Amino acid sequence: MNTTALFVEFIIIGSGTMSWLSLLVLSLFGYTWVPWDKVTSIVALIPFIVLIYSLGIVIDRLSDQLFSKRDKKLRSNVFSDNLKYHFARTYVYTYGTTQIINLFEYGRSRIRISRAWFINYLMLMISIPIFIWTRFPNIQLNLRIQITIFGIIVLGLCSIATLVAWEKLVENDYKRLTETYEFIKAEKKMNIQ
């Protein structure tokens, strides 16, 4: 995977993390103290991107830990042990074409983004109602309740969708790895004979 794609991936993940984290901070301390003209300036953009990128790395690692048990279970449905999985992956990355490797890397990127956004959606489902209830007390009670319920339903559905997408992407990745490994191995064997 090229570094630009990885950078963009962590920005995508970190932007969601920055959103819910910002909402929690603003819920606690309000938003009148924030110098919005300075925060939105070009000069502030570079440290802001660095912060988003760093948060993307942290949430990626956290989501990797949270999903590792389920990932191993899905892997065991295709590979009998980790050694066979790592051998097949190394074999494909060693003898596969650039297009094949890029396709696998693209798939792995989608897997990382979906598992991280599962966490981001869950945290947004928590942080948005907190922000609405702490910072907008003048809004009518029934409107706050409606916004809260709507937000929880939509973000809950988004988190479920990313969880289902993650699982399907992982299953397909392992199946495709097995198929590609067998294909490359057979093709290599035919070229030797």
Side-chain angles (χ1 to χ4, degrees):
M1 173 178 247
N2 67 44
T3 54
T4 304
L6 195 57
F7 178 79
V8 170
E9 182 181 309
F10 288 139
I11 294 293
I12 290 169
I13 294 168
S15 64
T17 307
M18 187 65 183
S19 298
W20 61 259
L21 205 54
S22 296
L23 286 170
L24 289 176
V25 168
L26 295 174
S27 295
L28 284 172
F29 303 110
Y31 48 83
T32 55
W33 60 273
V34 179
W36 294 108
D37 57 328
K38 291 180 181 156
V39 170
T40 56
S41 71
I42 298 291
V43 176
L45 188 61
I46 294 172
F48 191 66
I49 289 174
V50 170
L51 179 60
I52 288 173
Y53 180 77
S54 302
L55 289 171
I57 293 170
V58 170
I59 291 298
D60 175 62
R61 295 293 82 222
L62 176 65
S63 65
D64 186 42
Q65 289 298 310
L66 289 174
F67 281 70
S68 65
K69 198 176 221 180
R70 182 67 183 144
D71 183 64
K72 286 177 186 169
K73 172 78 173 104
L74 293 170
R75 186 184 312 153
S76 70
N77 293 338
V78 179
F79 294 97
S80 57
D81 60 47
N82 280 340
L83 185 63
K84 289 182 180 174
Y85 161 71
H86 289 294
F87 182 82
R89 189 163 213 85
T90 302
Y91 195 90
V92 167
Y93 276 64
T94 301
Y95 299 108
T97 65
T98 304
Q99 292 85 356
I100 289 172
I101 294 167
N102 286 342
L103 184 63
F104 274 106
E105 286 303 311
Y106 173 67
R108 296 304 301 169
S109 179
R110 291 176 6 176
I111 288 168
R112 286 188 294 270
I113 289 170
S114 61
R115 76 178 179 210
W117 266 92
F118 171 76
I119 293 171
N120 283 337
Y121 282 130
L122 286 180
M123 292 307 295
L124 282 167
M125 192 171 65
I126 294 167
S127 61
I128 289 174
I130 290 172
F131 181 72
I132 289 169
W133 286 86
T134 58
R135 292 297 141 198
F136 297 105
N138 296 333
I139 295 178
Q140 290 179 338
L141 179 63
N142 64 346
L143 182 59
R144 278 190 286 168
I145 292 171
Q146 288 173 352
I147 293 170
T148 301
I149 291 171
F150 178 76
I152 288 172
I153 290 170
V154 168
L155 293 166
L157 289 173
C158 288
S159 64
I160 290 168
T162 54
L163 182 62
V164 170
W166 172 83
E167 190 160 309
K168 294 300 177 194
L169 287 167
V170 169
E171 287 173 347
N172 289 338
D173 185 65
Y174 291 138
K175 288 175 187 171
R176 192 176 47 218
L177 179 62
T178 303
E179 293 164 0
T180 306
Y181 165 69
E182 293 297 333
F183 175 78
I184 292 172
K185 193 168 76 169
E187 185 182 51
K188 199 168 169 38
K189 191 175 183 180
M190 283 178 20
N191 288 340
I192 292 173
Q193 295 173 353

